[in-house]
Amino acid sequence: MSENKRKLIIIGSGPAGYTAAIYASRANLKPLVITGIDMGGQLMQTTDVENYPGYPDGIMGPQMMDDFRKQAERMGAEIKFGHVTKVDFSDPMNHKCIVDDKEEFIGETIVIATGATAKWLGIESETRLNGAGVSACAVCDGFFYKDKAVAIVGGGDTAAEEALYLANLCPTVHMFIRRDEMRASKVMQQRVFDHPNIKVYWNTETDEVLGEKVVEAVRVKNNKTGEKTEIPIDGFFVAIGHKPNTDLFKDILDMDHEGYLITKADSTVTNVEGVFASGDVQDKIYRQAVTAAGTGCMAALDAERYISAKEFELSQKQNAAV
């Protein structure tokens, strides 16, 4: 393996990773961004983005991520297309990253921005119509369905929150729940039940999303009776959770029970010295491009301060030894 050392290595290339690269470059850290398999993150699967500041006319998700990449490169960031397959964070200031099982890079600091992946139902039409009426983020895409009928799948707190968000935009929100009860908190359940625009379907599973080029309807099945029903809709939202992309860091970094990285309050600092986490990999509440970018900025600043403190500490020791 070749050995390449950097002051900062950024693992991941969504809004958090690229923003960290921009700020780190401005601090003259000459960061290396290792893109990962899904270069650009979840926004590469998003069509119109209208809620990110600076794009008054909206922008396609892939184009926005290309703009982020170009800006990071213009500032001096090095972009490497590859996937980190192994890490070794046992030596402070010498954090090892193995890319594609063959190339080794060492970073004095690491920013983790590997994001999270939406959980899907696993049906063909869901994939085919993704971005054409199918979405995993009501806050991101709900506005496009204002005054239209939509459906949402899920029974947890996230599904309840997104159903309520949609209900303030849409006259009818069909909410499909697989069981005969919701997993959401009692308060959230009551808010759902009390909203006149939300219609709850119990023991109901999605059989197929219907439409050739855009979503036109959904066919659902009652898992108790077997009865199938087609419901006309314009938007179909899946809210059954996200999986943070943190398998690589198991038994190395502190995580919660869902696998999200734990950072210290008001920072991006993890339990491992010199390793910082930003974006959806540590944020299970907001999960927006703008909040991911914000924590990417924080991570770069935290890394720069860490490096500066270490360099000052080293100079003090050297001066004392003279």
Side-chain angles (χ1 to χ4, degrees), residues 121 123 153 175-179 201-210 218-231 236:
L121 300 174
I123 56 179
V153 178
M175 189 173 188
F176 307 138
I177 299 173
R178 293 181 62 184
R179 304 188 298 173
Y201 298 71
W202 303 109
N203 303 306
T204 300
E205 300 180 24
T206 303
D207 185 62
E208 205 70 71
V209 183
L210 306 176
V218 60
R219 184 169 64 238
V220 295
K221 177 182 178 180
N222 185 294
N223 56 33
K224 292 289 186 181
T225 65
E227 181 183 1
K228 293 184 179 182
T229 306
E230 289 189 10
I231 302 170
F236 182 80

Side-chain angles (χ1 to χ4, degrees), residues 231-251:
I231 302 170
I233 56 169
D234 294 287
F236 182 80
F237 294 86
V238 180
I240 57 176
H242 286 73
K243 182 184 183 302
N245 301 320
T246 56
D247 289 349
L248 184 65
F249 311 108
K250 283 184 178 178
D251 302 320

Side-chain angles (χ1 to χ4, degrees), residues 16-315:
Y18 283 139
T19 303
I22 292 166
Y23 274 80
S25 297
R26 296 272 291 176
N28 201 32
L29 297 184
K30 297 180 174 61
L32 169 67
V33 179
I34 303 172
T35 63
I37 295 173
D38 299 319
M39 183 181 68
Q42 294 184 73
L43 279 171
M44 297 300 288
Q45 309 300 322
T46 304
T47 52
D48 295 313
V49 179
E50 292 199 332
N51 57 1
Y52 197 93
Y55 293 98
D57 298 319
I59 189 169
M60 300 291 281
Q63 181 60 56
M64 188 168 86
M65 286 298 90
D66 193 47
D67 289 346
F68 272 47
R69 178 187 58 79
K70 288 177 180 176
Q71 185 174 359
E73 287 183 312
R74 184 173 69 83
M75 294 296 173
E78 177 186 355
I79 311 295
K80 180 172 181 59
F81 301 96
H83 178 55
V84 176
T85 49
K86 185 179 180 181
V87 296
D88 180 353
F89 297 158
S90 60
D91 181 6
M93 301 294 285
N94 289 285
H95 305 92
K96 296 180 181 179
C97 298
I98 311 301
V99 178
D100 297 325
D101 293 318
K102 62 183 180 182
E103 193 170 7
E104 181 177 282
F105 291 88
I106 296 177
E108 291 182 25
T109 56
I110 300 287
V111 168
I112 298 170
T114 49
T117 302
K119 295 179 182 178
W120 297 95
L121 300 174
I123 56 179
E124 180 277 333
S125 54
E126 170 191 60
T127 303
R128 178 171 53 82
L129 293 170
N130 195 340
V134 172
S135 170
C137 181
V139 176
C140 308
D141 300 327
F143 178 79
F144 299 114
Y145 303 94
K146 186 176 181 181
D147 299 326
K148 297 179 180 180
V150 298
I152 187 165
V153 178
D157 278 326
T158 298
E161 289 173 6
E162 297 215 333
L164 289 162
Y165 178 86
L166 290 167
N168 290 325
L169 297 169
C170 307
T172 306
V173 178
H174 303 279
M175 189 173 188
F176 307 138
I177 299 173
R178 293 181 62 184
R179 304 188 298 173
D180 58 2
E181 61 181 1
M182 293 179 68
R183 291 181 290 104
S185 64
K186 295 299 183 182
V187 172
M188 291 303 296
Q189 289 187 45
Q190 195 58 53
R191 289 180 61 192
V192 166
F193 300 149
D194 289 345
H195 203 296
N197 292 1
I198 301 176
K199 183 177 181 180
V200 177
Y201 298 71
W202 303 109
N203 303 306
T204 300
E205 300 180 24
T206 303
D207 185 62
E208 205 70 71
V209 183
L210 306 176
E212 287 298 317
K213 295 183 178 180
V214 297
V215 171
E216 298 174 0
V218 60
R219 184 169 64 238
V220 295
K221 177 182 178 180
N222 185 294
N223 56 33
K224 292 289 186 181
T225 65
E227 181 183 1
K228 293 184 179 182
T229 306
E230 289 189 10
I231 302 170
I233 56 169
D234 294 287
F236 182 80
F237 294 86
V238 180
I240 57 176
H242 286 73
K243 182 184 183 302
N245 301 320
T246 56
D247 289 349
L248 184 65
F249 311 108
K250 283 184 178 178
D251 302 320
I252 300 174
L253 299 177
D254 287 346
M255 307 177 185
D256 67 12
H257 69 283
E258 295 177 84
Y260 287 90
L261 297 184
I262 297 172
T263 53
K264 294 182 180 179
D266 301 320
S267 79
T268 61
V269 176
T270 70
N271 62 296
V272 173
E273 186 178 347
V275 178
F276 309 89
S278 63
D280 288 9
V281 77
Q282 54 86 236
D283 170 25
K284 60 182 178 183
I285 298 174
Y286 300 104
R287 296 196 303 270
Q288 300 298 302
V290 69
T291 51
T295 56
C297 163
M298 291 168 60
L301 295 176
D302 286 342
E304 191 275 330
R305 290 166 183 163
Y306 173 83
I307 290 172
S308 295
K310 285 295 183 181
E311 289 177 345
F312 178 76
E313 182 183 322
L314 178 60
S315 67

